[in-house]
Amino acid sequence: MRPIIALAALSLLAACSSGEEDGPTQRQQIGQVWKYEGGATGQAKVAYIGSANSVQTPTAPDTFAVLLVQSMRNGEKTVTVKLVGAPFQCDLSACAVTVTNGKGESETWTGRLTDAKDGVELPPSQKAYETIAASDQIKVDLIVGPKDETAAFTFNVAGLDLPA
């Protein structure tokens, strides 16, 4: 839960900051390589990575996506896909995203809207972690504009190492 709060705090900080370029942008802070946080005795409980690309939307010139992988007590992993810079949109009865792995195979991950309404939380039953762990790169299609316009966000996911 703390990593999610940390990401929310980062979002709030970026939204409330002045227009001056005092430091790295939120996208630069998150980065496009896996980062690990939390856990006792040096073991990470959460990993996150930003998309390699960003798109221009009506609300931000550099909207990007974030993948968040979190270990559960039973060893399974949940995955959350978040959109930063534009409102996350999905069908509330079946909040889903389409994913294409490095082999060009597409699948749909269905979950629930996050409490902050900025992404979709995917339960272990969707096998999102397994797809990510078995791929070097994935593309996630997210709605980014009016009339359900979508954009593909690319993640270079090779090297994920999140212990159970």
Side-chain angles (χ1 to χ4, degrees):
M1 187 69 180
R2 272 164 103 190
I4 294 171
I5 293 171
L7 284 174
L10 267 173
S11 298
L12 182 60
L13 186 66
C16 295
S17 68
S18 67
E20 298 175 14
E21 295 293 325
D22 290 340
T25 65
Q26 185 178 9
R27 184 164 184 263
Q28 291 167 333
Q29 289 174 344
I30 291 173
Q32 289 83 47
V33 296
W34 287 110
K35 292 187 180 174
Y36 302 90
E37 290 185 9
T41 64
Q43 282 202 349
K45 284 212 169 255
V46 68
Y48 59 92
I49 188 170
S51 60
N53 63 313
S54 64
V55 297
Q56 185 168 352
T57 63
T59 56
D62 62 346
T63 296
F64 66 101
V66 176
L67 283 179
L68 181 75
V69 180
Q70 192 163 11
S71 293
M72 298 171 61
R73 288 188 185 128
N74 64 3
E76 293 182 310
K77 313 265 191 312
T78 61
V79 174
T80 303
V81 180
K82 293 182 170 255
L83 189 60
V84 180
F88 184 84
Q89 302 174 45
C90 71
D91 181 351
L92 295 180
S93 63
C95 196
V97 293
T98 302
V99 178
T100 306
N101 65 19
K103 298 175 187 174
E105 302 164 335
S106 292
E107 53 189 78
T108 300
W109 294 341
T110 304
R112 68 173 190 84
L113 191 62
T114 60
D115 292 337
K117 295 181 175 44
D118 60 352
V120 58
E121 185 177 327
L122 307 159
S125 63
Q126 294 299 298
K127 306 287 186 201
Y129 173 76
E130 288 78 0
T131 299
I132 293 168
S135 301
D136 288 337
Q137 185 180 79
I138 63 169
K139 291 183 182 178
V140 180
D141 294 331
L142 298 174
I143 299 172
V144 294
K147 299 181 183 175
D148 293 340
E149 292 175 35
T150 62
F153 291 93
T154 302
F155 293 91
N156 296 318
V157 295
L160 175 60
D161 183 22
L162 188 63

